[in-house]
Structure formats: structure tokens, C-alpha cells
Amino acid sequence: MHSQGSSSRNQYDWDSDDELEVFGMPQESNVHGVEESGSTCSSAKNSKLIHHFVGMGFSVEEVIKAIEEDGEDNEENILETLLTLAATIDDPMREAFTEPCDFAKKSVTTIDISDDDDDYGITDSEIEEDAFTSEKDETLSILVNMGYPFKEALIAIDKCGPGADLSDLADFICAAQLEKEIESHLQDRPNRIHDTSLHVHKRSRDHYYNGKKKSRMCRTSQKKPLEIDMEEIELSIPTNGFSIAKGLYPRVVRKIPDKLAGPPYFYYENVAIAPVGVWNKISNFLYGIQPEFVDSKLFCASTRKRGYIHNLPTENRFPLLPIQPLTVQEALPNTRQWWPKWDRRTQLNCLLTSIGAATVTEKIRRDLEECGAETPPPNVQDTVLKLCKKWNLVWVGKNKVATLEPDEYEMLLGFPKDHTRGGGISRTDRYKALGNAFQVDTVAYHLSVLKDQYPNGVNVLSLFSGIGGAEIALHRLGIKLKNVVSAEISEVNRNILRCWWEQTEQRGNLFEVEDVQRVTSEHISHWINRFGGFDLVIGGSPCNNLSGSNRVSRDGLEGEHSSLFYEYYRIVNEVMQAQR
DNA sequence: AACAAGATGAGTGTATAA
DNA sequence: TTATACACTCATCTTGTT
């Protein structure tokens, strides 16, 4: 943490090297190969382009063809052409598993990979609450599968006991539902737990879905030739779909082709509201699997709209216990007494990487005190409310709002308290790391299907690990971590994960890699041989150039940070090939 | 240097009205 | 069907302080 590199790394210097270093030595050998093949492309720029696209997994021949077609100046068009080429291949799965490239095969660059056996062979004390809740878990998941809302199932089990007869539990839930319905007819309470925001939008969104879906499809596929068959429609991605849930959690109906169904499993995450076309591209690379868009407001008290692409089964999912409170007032009980009636928020907006300025909270306090009245006039309410929503402010006193604390970030996102605290990390860095992290409960819900399949634990390749959201999700699910290879560029983040690993007394092995770009085929096959294969490749690639919060460089998937998605794809594809 | 604080819009999707 | 208004966003950069 005292190394000089750590500070400059704060500025995401995972791309500080120029392109030559990105692909290392073998680039040159490939360049020669290309030139010898008789191509007319010979400029330095051309070589870079070729390697750029070859690095994405296209064959050299295809890339050359595309460049000749579109000219070397238009990367966008070249990529479009390449993707069209890939899409027009008879068997769409064939392209998915073709040899991506061999640029890394001869790579002998020195790589910082701690290959030591960090064997924390300690006690058996991990995950012991598991025994306590396993019966409950099982009953819960059965009830949820029967179609009962999770929360009500949970209450029923609490009331009747985990050993109660299923039919008794079902009866209890039905009775409770009926009671609730009657109650809601009798009195209209605006601040009921977690129902309002969900159902308010549901009807309209469903309407949107049925009514406008088609027109949007046409818009998205405008660029492509007008041959909209079923395949096209499958791949055309609606970037909404957050509230098509019937119950508390969305029930996903999505069929993964047998060819793609894991193991090995992969799980990819990124921001939902990305520039137009980005998710289509990502989906095309990840074997055409449709993203699953989920808003974490279903799992915690703050919004977090994300897209997930994975080949996990979607049946028999179950949520992490205990269930998080879904309202701010419950999640932050101290704020409840200060929350004015006219602020009807029950949930927070997205937790970002930086927080609001103190001048904002001060301005709000002044404005409210000036009008003096118990309830301020509508125009003041309006401006204050807008600021509160913009900066995610909560009420901590009379006329007093405040930004969230880092430990409140941790709690809302499902991390252990003080997970990012200490060890030389600054407050600013905590916000940044947490703002970039998974919402653990959400990811755990998706990963829960692995629990039955891997009673002895999993081998995980974790890319862009950050502060270890994936690892924590698995751990909290009670899925043992056998071997975890974690790639993370930020030193402070690696320290956080390592500390957590030691504190939770993991019995498996943690291997740290600094830069995903330095992971070669040799590394991958070495790990596969050693561990007997990976069970899960998980990661969310940088969103910097996709996020709407970025005023400066929202450059899309080809942006300097977000283009690391192609590294994720490269590595996933190698694992998929090697283990199938 | 390192850190904290403050200032800095645009793109995307949604709802509504015409 | 189109136009318009509105809400929200895994961020970056500069400046000032220690």
C-alpha cells in the first residue's frame, strides 16, 4: 500500500501502457504472419487494427477482409462487418467456439502471478450458520418454487416453524395474503414495505412491452440488412425489462441451448443503460445469450440497474438470507424520525462512485429554515426533493440531509461491515470501490443455483474482482471456495479481498493476478490442469465508458477502459474451449 | 504527493400529450 | 405516430488543503 504505483493506479492505470504492450511480444510475430500472407495491408496503423480485432477473437482472414471492405479509418464499420460475418455463418455456435487467436501462445512476458500455494489450512469454523438455516432454506426454496412470494414464505416458516408441513405453510400464506388484500382495501398506506414502487410501474411497463417492443426492434436492427428472422429478434435486446416480474423477484424464462449450458459457467455483468448497441455487441460475443436485466431495488433499498449475461440455470434460485430491508427507512432506522411526509421516497437511487458536496446539504438546510413553516411550500419541496434524489441524500436531523457513509454503502450492497475500511484505504477510494462493486444479494440470487451442484465447492476464475463481490456472494451462499484466481488491477482492492479471505478463514487457495491482459493461454491451461477445471468464470468489466455518469469519456464499448470486455470474452472463450 | 471537496452535462429511456 | 418534457446515471477533472 506504500508502493508508489498505488497512487497513479487510482486513476485506473490498467491501460497506462501503450498498445504495443497490451498484446505483448507475440504481436510482432503475428504482424509478420499477416504480411507474409500476401495482404496489401502493411501500414503500422493497419497492423494495430488487425491485432485489435484478432484480439477480439476474429480470424486474421476475416479481419483483413473487413478492413479492405471498410477502409482502415472506420473501426466501427469494421466491427459491424465482422459481426455481420459472424452472424451469417450457418451454425451460430460454430463461430462462438472457434479458436479466438493464438497471439498469446508464444508469450513469455514475465507476469506477476503469485503461484505459491497460499494454503490457509485452518479450522472448520466457516459457514456454520449453514446448518442452522439449511432446513429453512430448503423449505423456502420449495415454497418459492411453488410460486409463493418469498417474503410471505419466510414469514410463514417463521410462524409455523421450519419443520411444518408444506400444506400448512401454504395455507398460512394464503390466509395472510387474503388478510393483506383486505387490509389494503380498507386503508391506503403510502409507505407500505416494498410494494409501491414495484407495482406502480408494472402495468405501464407491461403495456410498453406488449405495445412497443416491435417498433424498438426495428429501430435497433436498422443498420443490418432487412432480414428479420427469429434469430435477429432473439438477439435484439430491449434495454428495459426491469419490472416484468410477477412476484417479488423476476421469474426468468430463458432457454439456454444445450451447447451453451454449463459447466463451465460464466457470468458477466455491466450497467444496463449503456450507449445504444453496446449490449447487442456484448451479447453477440457472449454466444448470443440475452442479457438478464435486473434492478437491485428488488434485493436492497437502493436502485442498481444492471445487465447480466450468463449460462447458469434459472430454475430453483433462492435469495440470500437474511433478506435485506427494501426501504431506506428500514435500512437506515436512524433516519426514520427525520423523514418528512412530503418526501415520499422509500428507496434510494443508484450508489455511485462519488458523493454529493456539502454545499448542497447546506443549501437545503438554509432553504428549509427560511420558509420556517412545518411543511414548506410546494416549490421548495420540489427543489429540495430533486437535489435529494440527485445526490442520494437522507434525513439525519430537522431540516438536515446528509450523504451516505461508506459503511452504509457496504450494508446496502451486501458487503460485511467495514469490509473496505482500514488497511490504508482512503475514504474517496472506498466510495469508488463500492460504487463499482456488485450488489451481493442480487448476484448471489443468480449464483444460488450452484449450491446443490457443487456441494464440495467451486473453482472460480474471477476477473475484474474489485473488492470481491462475487467471492462474498458465493461464501454467503455457503458455497465453498476451493481455488480462486482473482484478477484485479487496483492494489487497494486486492488488499481488501485478501484481508477478507484471511479473516473468513477460507480453506481454499487464493491466487492473485494483477492484470487480466497478462493472463495467457498458458496460464489458463495451467490452472485448468491444476484444479481440474474452472466451474465458474465471473466478472463485470469496466463501465467507465458506458456509464451515464461519465461526462467526459462516454465512448462506448471501444472506450479505453470498457474495451477490456474483450479480455473477458477472450478468457471465457478459452476456458469454454478447453473444458468442452 | 495524497487526499478531499466541489463543479462539470449528455445520452438514454419513459411518460404524456398532441 | 410523433413531439416534448422529464428523470436518472458502477464518472472525471480541477482546485485547495494537509
Side-chain angles (χ1 to χ4, degrees), chain A residues 148-165:
Chain A
Y148 294 110
F150 179 83
K151 184 114 185 177
E152 288 165 24
L154 189 63
I155 293 170
I157 293 173
D158 278 343
K159 297 283 182 192
C160 306
D165 206 65

Side-chain angles (χ1 to χ4, degrees), chain A residues 189-250:
Chain A
R189 290 177 302 163
N191 272 356
R192 254 183 318 159
I193 325 219
H194 70 65
D195 269 339
T196 47
S197 63
L198 235 146
H199 293 323
V200 165
H201 298 300
K202 204 180 79 179
R203 201 178 300 131
S204 50
R205 292 270 172 69
D206 280 345
H207 181 262
Y208 173 90
Y209 230 68
N210 297 331
K212 286 197 179 171
K213 193 174 178 183
K214 201 158 190 177
S215 76
R216 164 147 183 83
M217 298 277 189
C218 295
R219 233 183 74 204
T220 353
S221 47
Q222 249 174 4
K223 285 183 189 170
K224 298 183 179 177
L226 273 173
E227 32 161 358
I228 306 174
D229 53 7
M230 283 309 288
E231 285 290 327
E232 288 282 336
I233 286 171
E234 290 271 316
L235 288 180
S236 180
I237 291 152
T239 47
N240 60 353
F242 293 107
S243 309
I244 43 177
K246 287 273 158 50
L248 185 55
Y249 301 117

Side-chain angles (χ1 to χ4, degrees), chain A residues 64 74 114 119 149 159 161 202 221 227 234 281 284 296 303 305-306 317 332 374 402 419 476 478 485 496 507 511 579:
Chain A
I64 292 173
N74 198 331
S114 70
D119 201 337
K159 297 283 182 192
K202 204 180 79 179
S221 47
E227 32 161 358
E234 290 271 316
K281 255 180 218 173
N284 278 335
S296 292
T303 294
K305 291 173 183 173
R306 297 291 180 269
R317 288 168 165 176
L332 308 170
E374 193 60 34
H419 179 66
R476 288 189 57 193
V485 178
I496 289 170
R507 289 185 297 164
F511 302 92
Q579 296 186 208

Side-chain angles (χ1 to χ4, degrees), chain A residues 497-564:
Chain A
L497 178 55
R498 197 185 319 113
C499 285
W500 173 83
W501 187 271
E502 290 169 10
Q503 275 168 23
T504 50
E505 297 180 338
Q506 297 291 329
R507 289 185 297 164
N509 305 312
L510 174 66
F511 302 92
E512 294 179 10
V513 182
E514 204 174 311
D515 189 349
V516 281
Q517 297 178 138
R518 303 295 180 106
V519 174
T520 66
S521 304
E522 281 73 26
H523 293 121
I524 295 171
S525 55
H526 169 72
W527 291 322
I528 288 173
N529 288 333
R530 180 162 172 183
F531 309 147
F534 288 108
D535 305 306
L536 174 66
V537 184
I538 185 168
S541 62
C543 68
N544 304 23
N545 308 117
L546 309 181
S547 165
S549 298
N550 192 336
R551 292 143 147 85
V552 181
S553 52
R554 195 182 187 187
D555 304 328
L557 197 58
E558 317 304 322
E560 63 175 337
H561 305 304
S562 294
S563 55
L564 285 173

